[in-house]
Amino acid sequence: MLSKYKVLLWDFDGVIMDSMPIRSKGFELVLAKYPKEQVDELMAFHEANGGLSRYVKFRYFFEEIRKEPVTEEQVLVLAAKFSEIMLSLLMDKELLIQDSVEFIKNNQGNFQMHIVSGSDGKELKIINESVGLSGYFKTINGSPTPKKQLVEDVLAAYQYDKKDVILIGDSINDLDAASFNDISFAGYNNTELKRVSENYIEQFICNPDQ
């Protein structure tokens, strides 16, 4: 299915790295002083919206769950604490999803590949460098820029023909970003996406022509 495309835009968490459980733990640690039922409510939101950034999720926690204002400075402090935890835990090759990583490594010459993620952009670059994946992607970008904008920026910067581009992701937010930019989408590692996505990847095949 991917062989008809020239450009692959990859989500990161849950697609290239099995990092979602660790990111969930990060929110719990950063928000440990708050009531458990409120943090649990955020966890449900986090798991349903994997493609959204931590900045959006921290704002949601305060504004929608706790019903109180939160400043940009407060969000940045929480995000920095979250990033420290992530960098201490995610620079680990054992967390890579071998199915997709092998595909990436074996198809570097067949596609132009970029990472567009809801995770922090600086953090993503450090993690990918540490696990030896940086060289496979033309760009690695993440939050605080929203994913819809990240995709739009890649399309504009490289002047890609939209019919040649597909975004691979594991959340409804990834599908929304693809639809917003009028490019194709393929769900992966989330069977709920089978109901709403025209394309779904059960398992990557190293040779795109197979």
Side-chain angles (χ1 to χ4, degrees):
M1 180 265 291
L2 294 178
S3 62
K4 63 182 179 180
Y5 298 99
K6 298 178 181 178
V7 182
L8 307 184
L9 305 184
W10 295 84
D11 179 39
F12 185 75
D13 298 300
V15 177
I16 295 174
M17 179 173 275
D18 185 20
S19 48
M20 288 302 287
I22 291 176
R23 294 199 184 277
S24 295
K25 187 66 176 178
F27 282 110
E28 292 174 353
L29 291 172
V30 171
L31 300 172
K33 71 177 184 180
Y34 296 98
K36 183 179 183 300
E37 62 271 18
Q38 294 181 352
V39 177
D40 287 345
E41 190 175 343
L42 177 67
M43 288 301 96
F45 179 77
H46 161 64
E47 290 168 7
N49 295 276
L52 293 182
S53 76
R54 67 199 59 177
Y55 305 90
V56 171
K57 291 171 184 176
F58 283 128
R59 290 190 194 98
Y60 182 88
F61 178 72
F62 287 97
E63 296 173 351
E64 302 299 328
I65 297 176
R66 289 181 56 80
K67 306 297 184 184
E68 64 184 40
V70 61
T71 67
E72 185 68 16
E73 183 179 0
Q74 288 173 307
V75 170
L76 291 175
V77 168
L78 292 168
K81 291 179 180 178
F82 187 92
S83 189
E84 287 178 15
I85 295 169
M86 292 305 97
L87 288 175
S88 71
L89 297 176
L90 291 180
M91 291 191 288
D92 183 355
K93 289 185 178 181
E94 294 298 316
L95 294 172
L96 293 173
I97 299 173
Q98 292 304 314
D99 181 22
S100 52
V101 169
E102 287 304 309
F103 179 89
I104 290 167
K105 289 182 175 180
N106 284 282
N107 286 276
Q108 186 178 24
N110 296 317
F111 303 100
Q112 301 294 313
M113 293 190 275
H114 302 259
I115 289 178
V116 288
S117 172
S119 294
D120 181 81
K122 293 180 181 178
E123 180 184 299
L124 277 173
K125 289 179 172 69
I126 295 170
I127 292 172
N128 276 277
E129 183 67 29
S130 73
V131 297
L133 290 181
S134 294
Y136 295 97
F137 303 101
K138 291 185 73 66
T139 61
I140 298 173
N141 290 300
S143 63
T145 304
K147 186 167 294 190
K148 290 178 181 179
Q149 185 65 49
L150 291 175
V151 174
E152 185 176 343
D153 290 347
V154 169
L155 295 174
Y158 290 87
Q159 293 294 294
Y160 291 135
D161 188 328
K162 290 185 177 183
K163 67 179 176 56
D164 293 331
V165 185
I166 187 167
L167 192 158
I168 303 166
D170 69 334
S171 77
I172 193 69
N173 306 105
D174 297 318
L175 174 59
D176 289 345
S179 298
F180 178 83
N181 285 283
D182 196 27
I183 61 172
S184 296
F185 173 78
Y188 175 71
N189 203 20
N190 180 355
T191 55
E192 287 295 311
L193 290 173
K194 288 183 178 181
R195 297 186 295 104
V196 294
S197 174
E198 181 179 345
N199 303 306
Y200 189 82
I201 298 170
E202 296 284 357
Q203 182 177 7
F204 285 98
I205 299 172
C206 286
N207 183 347
D209 295 324
Q210 290 181 356

